mmCIF file of all heavy atoms in Angstrom:
data_model
loop_
_atom_site.group_PDB
_atom_site.id
_atom_site.type_symbol
_atom_site.label_atom_id
_atom_site.label_comp_id
_atom_site.label_asym_id
_atom_site.label_seq_id
_atom_site.Cartn_x
_atom_site.Cartn_y
_atom_site.Cartn_z
ATOM 1 N N GLY A 11 0.797 -1.220 0.000
ATOM 2 C CA GLY A 11 0.000 0.000 0.000
ATOM 3 C C GLY A 11 0.826 1.264 0.000
ATOM 4 O O GLY A 11 0.407 2.297 0.538
ATOM 5 N N ILE A 12 2.008 1.203 -0.619
ATOM 6 C CA ILE A 12 2.893 2.368 -0.694
ATOM 7 C C ILE A 12 3.373 2.528 -2.130
ATOM 8 O O ILE A 12 3.082 1.704 -2.996
ATOM 9 C CB ILE A 12 4.111 2.209 0.243
ATOM 10 C CG1 ILE A 12 4.922 0.953 -0.151
ATOM 11 C CG2 ILE A 12 3.673 2.143 1.704
ATOM 12 C CD1 ILE A 12 6.211 0.789 0.630
ATOM 13 N N THR A 13 4.109 3.588 -2.397
ATOM 14 C CA THR A 13 4.696 3.785 -3.712
ATOM 15 C C THR A 13 6.078 3.137 -3.761
ATOM 16 O O THR A 13 6.705 2.903 -2.715
ATOM 17 C CB THR A 13 4.839 5.288 -4.034
ATOM 18 O OG1 THR A 13 5.730 5.874 -3.078
ATOM 19 C CG2 THR A 13 3.486 5.982 -3.992
ATOM 20 N N LYS A 14 6.552 2.890 -4.968
ATOM 21 C CA LYS A 14 7.866 2.256 -5.103
ATOM 22 C C LYS A 14 8.993 3.120 -4.529
ATOM 23 O O LYS A 14 9.911 2.574 -3.895
ATOM 24 C CB LYS A 14 8.134 1.887 -6.562
ATOM 25 C CG LYS A 14 9.337 0.961 -6.714
ATOM 26 C CD LYS A 14 9.324 0.177 -8.008
ATOM 27 C CE LYS A 14 9.614 1.059 -9.201
ATOM 28 N NZ LYS A 14 9.866 0.249 -10.423
ATOM 29 N N PRO A 15 8.969 4.471 -4.687
ATOM 30 C CA PRO A 15 10.030 5.273 -4.066
ATOM 31 C C PRO A 15 10.113 5.094 -2.549
ATOM 32 O O PRO A 15 11.215 5.117 -1.985
ATOM 33 C CB PRO A 15 9.641 6.710 -4.437
ATOM 34 C CG PRO A 15 8.909 6.564 -5.730
ATOM 35 C CD PRO A 15 8.131 5.292 -5.591
ATOM 36 N N ILE A 16 8.967 4.905 -1.894
ATOM 37 C CA ILE A 16 8.998 4.669 -0.444
ATOM 38 C C ILE A 16 9.643 3.320 -0.140
ATOM 39 O O ILE A 16 10.430 3.172 0.811
ATOM 40 C CB ILE A 16 7.584 4.743 0.154
ATOM 41 C CG1 ILE A 16 7.030 6.164 0.047
ATOM 42 C CG2 ILE A 16 7.588 4.285 1.615
ATOM 43 C CD1 ILE A 16 5.597 6.317 0.527
ATOM 44 N N LEU A 17 9.352 2.312 -0.969
ATOM 45 C CA LEU A 17 9.978 1.002 -0.794
ATOM 46 C C LEU A 17 11.488 1.108 -0.979
ATOM 47 O O LEU A 17 12.269 0.530 -0.207
ATOM 48 C CB LEU A 17 9.378 0.004 -1.797
ATOM 49 C CG LEU A 17 9.712 -1.476 -1.598
ATOM 50 C CD1 LEU A 17 9.239 -1.972 -0.233
ATOM 51 C CD2 LEU A 17 9.089 -2.314 -2.715
ATOM 52 N N TYR A 18 11.911 1.880 -1.981
ATOM 53 C CA TYR A 18 13.342 2.106 -2.202
ATOM 54 C C TYR A 18 13.976 2.805 -1.009
ATOM 55 O O TYR A 18 15.133 2.546 -0.659
ATOM 56 C CB TYR A 18 13.571 2.941 -3.460
ATOM 57 C CG TYR A 18 13.458 2.173 -4.751
ATOM 58 C CD1 TYR A 18 12.724 2.680 -5.820
ATOM 59 C CD2 TYR A 18 14.103 0.957 -4.924
ATOM 60 C CE1 TYR A 18 12.623 1.987 -7.019
ATOM 61 C CE2 TYR A 18 14.012 0.251 -6.110
ATOM 62 C CZ TYR A 18 13.267 0.766 -7.155
ATOM 63 O OH TYR A 18 13.170 0.082 -8.334
ATOM 64 N N ARG A 19 13.220 3.689 -0.370
ATOM 65 C CA ARG A 19 13.763 4.427 0.769
ATOM 66 C C ARG A 19 14.113 3.471 1.901
ATOM 67 O O ARG A 19 15.073 3.681 2.637
ATOM 68 C CB ARG A 19 12.746 5.457 1.251
ATOM 69 C CG ARG A 19 13.290 6.452 2.284
ATOM 70 C CD ARG A 19 12.184 7.371 2.760
ATOM 71 N NE ARG A 19 11.448 7.981 1.655
ATOM 72 C CZ ARG A 19 10.210 8.428 1.732
ATOM 73 N NH1 ARG A 19 9.537 8.322 2.886
ATOM 74 N NH2 ARG A 19 9.613 8.987 0.697
ATOM 75 N N HIS A 20 13.339 2.400 2.038
ATOM 76 C CA HIS A 20 13.595 1.437 3.108
ATOM 77 C C HIS A 20 14.691 0.440 2.758
ATOM 78 O O HIS A 20 15.447 0.009 3.643
ATOM 79 C CB HIS A 20 12.309 0.675 3.437
ATOM 80 C CG HIS A 20 11.332 1.458 4.252
ATOM 81 N ND1 HIS A 20 11.363 1.500 5.624
ATOM 82 C CD2 HIS A 20 10.289 2.247 3.878
ATOM 83 C CE1 HIS A 20 10.381 2.269 6.076
ATOM 84 N NE2 HIS A 20 9.711 2.720 5.038
ATOM 85 N N PHE A 21 14.774 0.037 1.485
ATOM 86 C CA PHE A 21 15.684 -1.051 1.119
ATOM 87 C C PHE A 21 16.734 -0.675 0.069
ATOM 88 O O PHE A 21 17.620 -1.482 -0.204
ATOM 89 C CB PHE A 21 14.869 -2.256 0.623
ATOM 90 C CG PHE A 21 13.949 -2.818 1.659
ATOM 91 C CD1 PHE A 21 12.589 -2.548 1.629
ATOM 92 C CD2 PHE A 21 14.439 -3.620 2.682
ATOM 93 C CE1 PHE A 21 11.728 -3.065 2.593
ATOM 94 C CE2 PHE A 21 13.590 -4.140 3.650
ATOM 95 C CZ PHE A 21 12.232 -3.857 3.605
ATOM 96 N N GLY A 22 16.633 0.487 -0.510
ATOM 97 C CA GLY A 22 17.615 0.915 -1.510
ATOM 98 C C GLY A 22 17.251 0.467 -2.905
ATOM 99 O O GLY A 22 17.013 1.282 -3.781
ATOM 100 N N ASP A 23 17.209 -0.836 -3.128
ATOM 101 C CA ASP A 23 16.838 -1.396 -4.431
ATOM 102 C C ASP A 23 16.400 -2.833 -4.204
ATOM 103 O O ASP A 23 16.276 -3.284 -3.069
ATOM 104 C CB ASP A 23 18.015 -1.318 -5.429
ATOM 105 C CG ASP A 23 19.266 -2.023 -4.912
ATOM 106 O OD1 ASP A 23 19.169 -2.781 -3.919
ATOM 107 O OD2 ASP A 23 20.340 -1.813 -5.489
ATOM 108 N N LYS A 24 16.160 -3.559 -5.290
ATOM 109 C CA LYS A 24 15.692 -4.936 -5.121
ATOM 110 C C LYS A 24 16.751 -5.812 -4.464
ATOM 111 O O LYS A 24 16.429 -6.748 -3.734
ATOM 112 C CB LYS A 24 15.268 -5.532 -6.462
ATOM 113 C CG LYS A 24 14.433 -6.809 -6.271
ATOM 114 C CD LYS A 24 13.892 -7.335 -7.576
ATOM 115 C CE LYS A 24 13.011 -8.563 -7.330
ATOM 116 N NZ LYS A 24 12.550 -9.167 -8.582
ATOM 117 N N GLY A 25 18.019 -5.478 -4.712
ATOM 118 C CA GLY A 25 19.085 -6.221 -4.050
ATOM 119 C C GLY A 25 19.019 -6.057 -2.531
ATOM 120 O O GLY A 25 19.233 -7.008 -1.786
ATOM 121 N N GLY A 26 18.731 -4.837 -2.074
ATOM 122 C CA GLY A 26 18.604 -4.609 -0.637
ATOM 123 C C GLY A 26 17.427 -5.358 -0.045
ATOM 124 O O GLY A 26 17.514 -5.917 1.056
ATOM 125 N N LEU A 27 16.319 -5.370 -0.782
ATOM 126 C CA LEU A 27 15.151 -6.119 -0.330
ATOM 127 C C LEU A 27 15.454 -7.612 -0.313
ATOM 128 O O LEU A 27 15.085 -8.332 0.623
ATOM 129 C CB LEU A 27 13.961 -5.832 -1.244
ATOM 130 C CG LEU A 27 12.664 -6.596 -0.938
ATOM 131 C CD1 LEU A 27 12.144 -6.233 0.444
ATOM 132 C CD2 LEU A 27 11.610 -6.290 -1.996
ATOM 133 N N TYR A 28 16.137 -8.089 -1.339
ATOM 134 C CA TYR A 28 16.519 -9.500 -1.405
ATOM 135 C C TYR A 28 17.351 -9.877 -0.181
ATOM 136 O O TYR A 28 17.108 -10.898 0.458
ATOM 137 C CB TYR A 28 17.329 -9.756 -2.681
ATOM 138 C CG TYR A 28 17.949 -11.134 -2.744
ATOM 139 C CD1 TYR A 28 17.312 -12.178 -3.390
ATOM 140 C CD2 TYR A 28 19.167 -11.400 -2.118
ATOM 141 C CE1 TYR A 28 17.876 -13.443 -3.428
ATOM 142 C CE2 TYR A 28 19.731 -12.663 -2.135
ATOM 143 C CZ TYR A 28 19.085 -13.677 -2.801
ATOM 144 O OH TYR A 28 19.634 -14.932 -2.818
ATOM 145 N N ARG A 29 18.344 -9.051 0.141
ATOM 146 C CA ARG A 29 19.212 -9.377 1.277
ATOM 147 C C ARG A 29 18.421 -9.422 2.585
ATOM 148 O O ARG A 29 18.672 -10.271 3.447
ATOM 149 C CB ARG A 29 20.360 -8.364 1.374
ATOM 150 C CG ARG A 29 21.414 -8.540 0.275
ATOM 151 C CD ARG A 29 22.613 -7.644 0.487
ATOM 152 N NE ARG A 29 22.293 -6.235 0.309
ATOM 153 C CZ ARG A 29 22.295 -5.606 -0.866
ATOM 154 N NH1 ARG A 29 22.586 -6.277 -1.972
ATOM 155 N NH2 ARG A 29 22.027 -4.323 -0.943
ATOM 156 N N ALA A 30 17.461 -8.505 2.739
ATOM 157 C CA ALA A 30 16.634 -8.502 3.947
ATOM 158 C C ALA A 30 15.771 -9.759 4.014
ATOM 159 O O ALA A 30 15.638 -10.379 5.080
ATOM 160 C CB ALA A 30 15.769 -7.248 3.983
ATOM 161 N N LEU A 31 15.178 -10.157 2.880
ATOM 162 C CA LEU A 31 14.371 -11.381 2.855
ATOM 163 C C LEU A 31 15.246 -12.613 3.080
ATOM 164 O O LEU A 31 14.848 -13.556 3.775
ATOM 165 C CB LEU A 31 13.630 -11.497 1.527
ATOM 166 C CG LEU A 31 12.399 -10.611 1.345
ATOM 167 C CD1 LEU A 31 11.904 -10.694 -0.089
ATOM 168 C CD2 LEU A 31 11.289 -10.998 2.317
ATOM 169 N N ALA A 32 16.437 -12.603 2.473
ATOM 170 C CA ALA A 32 17.345 -13.740 2.638
ATOM 171 C C ALA A 32 17.726 -13.908 4.105
ATOM 172 O O ALA A 32 17.746 -15.029 4.629
ATOM 173 C CB ALA A 32 18.593 -13.538 1.791
ATOM 174 N N LYS A 33 18.015 -12.804 4.791
ATOM 175 C CA LYS A 33 18.355 -12.889 6.210
ATOM 176 C C LYS A 33 17.174 -13.415 7.014
ATOM 177 O O LYS A 33 17.335 -14.264 7.900
ATOM 178 C CB LYS A 33 18.789 -11.531 6.753
ATOM 179 C CG LYS A 33 19.242 -11.580 8.213
ATOM 180 C CD LYS A 33 19.689 -10.239 8.718
ATOM 181 C CE LYS A 33 20.258 -10.366 10.137
ATOM 182 N NZ LYS A 33 19.349 -10.989 11.103
ATOM 183 N N ARG A 34 15.989 -12.923 6.701
ATOM 184 C CA ARG A 34 14.775 -13.347 7.421
ATOM 185 C C ARG A 34 14.569 -14.850 7.304
ATOM 186 O O ARG A 34 14.345 -15.551 8.304
ATOM 187 C CB ARG A 34 13.590 -12.587 6.820
ATOM 188 C CG ARG A 34 12.212 -12.924 7.365
ATOM 189 C CD ARG A 34 11.181 -12.145 6.560
ATOM 190 N NE ARG A 34 9.816 -12.437 6.920
ATOM 191 C CZ ARG A 34 9.090 -11.743 7.798
ATOM 192 N NH1 ARG A 34 9.626 -10.709 8.410
ATOM 193 N NH2 ARG A 34 7.837 -12.067 8.067
ATOM 194 N N HIS A 35 14.691 -15.388 6.086
ATOM 195 C CA HIS A 35 14.436 -16.813 5.883
ATOM 196 C C HIS A 35 15.619 -17.663 6.334
ATOM 197 O O HIS A 35 15.435 -18.784 6.818
ATOM 198 C CB HIS A 35 14.094 -17.073 4.422
ATOM 199 C CG HIS A 35 12.716 -16.604 4.060
ATOM 200 N ND1 HIS A 35 11.588 -17.308 4.400
ATOM 201 C CD2 HIS A 35 12.285 -15.475 3.423
ATOM 202 C CE1 HIS A 35 10.517 -16.646 3.977
ATOM 203 N NE2 HIS A 35 10.918 -15.537 3.391
ATOM 204 N N THR A 36 16.835 -17.141 6.186
ATOM 205 C CA THR A 36 18.005 -17.893 6.645
ATOM 206 C C THR A 36 18.013 -17.994 8.159
ATOM 207 O O THR A 36 18.350 -19.044 8.718
ATOM 208 C CB THR A 36 19.304 -17.235 6.148
ATOM 209 O OG1 THR A 36 19.273 -17.140 4.717
ATOM 210 C CG2 THR A 36 20.519 -18.071 6.538
ATOM 211 N N ASP A 37 17.641 -16.909 8.849
ATOM 212 C CA ASP A 37 17.544 -16.956 10.315
ATOM 213 C C ASP A 37 16.568 -18.048 10.753
ATOM 214 O O ASP A 37 16.846 -18.823 11.678
ATOM 215 C CB ASP A 37 17.073 -15.606 10.865
ATOM 216 C CG ASP A 37 18.157 -14.538 10.827
ATOM 217 O OD1 ASP A 37 19.326 -14.881 10.567
ATOM 218 O OD2 ASP A 37 17.820 -13.358 11.054
ATOM 219 N N ALA A 38 15.412 -18.108 10.084
ATOM 220 C CA ALA A 38 14.402 -19.109 10.443
ATOM 221 C C ALA A 38 14.918 -20.526 10.159
ATOM 222 O O ALA A 38 14.715 -21.450 10.958
ATOM 223 C CB ALA A 38 13.109 -18.853 9.676
ATOM 224 N N LEU A 39 15.598 -20.694 9.020
ATOM 225 C CA LEU A 39 16.128 -22.012 8.664
ATOM 226 C C LEU A 39 17.204 -22.450 9.645
ATOM 227 O O LEU A 39 17.222 -23.598 10.096
ATOM 228 C CB LEU A 39 16.678 -21.987 7.243
ATOM 229 C CG LEU A 39 17.352 -23.268 6.745
ATOM 230 C CD1 LEU A 39 16.393 -24.446 6.799
ATOM 231 C CD2 LEU A 39 17.887 -23.074 5.326
ATOM 232 N N LEU A 40 18.112 -21.529 9.996
ATOM 233 C CA LEU A 40 19.178 -21.869 10.940
ATOM 234 C C LEU A 40 18.615 -22.251 12.299
ATOM 235 O O LEU A 40 19.120 -23.166 12.958
ATOM 236 C CB LEU A 40 20.150 -20.698 11.071
ATOM 237 C CG LEU A 40 21.102 -20.506 9.890
ATOM 238 C CD1 LEU A 40 21.834 -19.179 10.002
ATOM 239 C CD2 LEU A 40 22.105 -21.666 9.810
ATOM 240 N N SER A 41 17.571 -21.569 12.722
ATOM 241 C CA SER A 41 16.932 -21.913 13.993
ATOM 242 C C SER A 41 16.352 -23.328 13.935
ATOM 243 O O SER A 41 16.505 -24.119 14.881
ATOM 244 C CB SER A 41 15.820 -20.899 14.307
ATOM 245 O OG SER A 41 15.135 -21.252 15.487
ATOM 246 N N ALA A 42 15.708 -23.662 12.817
ATOM 247 C CA ALA A 42 15.143 -25.004 12.657
ATOM 248 C C ALA A 42 16.237 -26.069 12.599
ATOM 249 O O ALA A 42 16.092 -27.160 13.171
ATOM 250 C CB ALA A 42 14.277 -25.062 11.401
ATOM 251 N N LEU A 43 17.347 -25.766 11.920
ATOM 252 C CA LEU A 43 18.457 -26.715 11.839
ATOM 253 C C LEU A 43 19.082 -26.947 13.212
ATOM 254 O O LEU A 43 19.431 -28.076 13.571
ATOM 255 C CB LEU A 43 19.513 -26.208 10.853
ATOM 256 C CG LEU A 43 19.099 -26.189 9.379
ATOM 257 C CD1 LEU A 43 20.167 -25.504 8.537
ATOM 258 C CD2 LEU A 43 18.845 -27.598 8.857
#
Protein backbone atom coordinates (compact mmCIF):
# COMPACT_ATOMS: atom_id res chain seq x y z
CA GLY A 1 0.00 0.00 0.00
CA ILE A 2 2.89 2.37 -0.69
CA THR A 3 4.70 3.78 -3.71
CA LYS A 4 7.87 2.26 -5.10
CA PRO A 5 10.03 5.27 -4.07
CA ILE A 6 9.00 4.67 -0.44
CA LEU A 7 9.98 1.00 -0.79
CA TYR A 8 13.34 2.11 -2.20
CA ARG A 9 13.76 4.43 0.77
CA HIS A 10 13.59 1.44 3.11
CA PHE A 11 15.68 -1.05 1.12
CA GLY A 12 17.62 0.91 -1.51
CA ASP A 13 16.84 -1.40 -4.43
CA LYS A 14 15.69 -4.94 -5.12
CA GLY A 15 19.08 -6.22 -4.05
CA GLY A 16 18.60 -4.61 -0.64
CA LEU A 17 15.15 -6.12 -0.33
CA TYR A 18 16.52 -9.50 -1.40
CA ARG A 19 19.21 -9.38 1.28
CA ALA A 20 16.63 -8.50 3.95
CA LEU A 21 14.37 -11.38 2.86
CA ALA A 22 17.34 -13.74 2.64
CA LYS A 23 18.36 -12.89 6.21
CA ARG A 24 14.77 -13.35 7.42
CA HIS A 25 14.44 -16.81 5.88
CA THR A 26 18.00 -17.89 6.64
CA ASP A 27 17.54 -16.96 10.31
CA ALA A 28 14.40 -19.11 10.44
CA LEU A 29 16.13 -22.01 8.66
CA LEU A 30 19.18 -21.87 10.94
CA SER A 31 16.93 -21.91 13.99
CA ALA A 32 15.14 -25.00 12.66
CA LEU A 33 18.46 -26.71 11.84
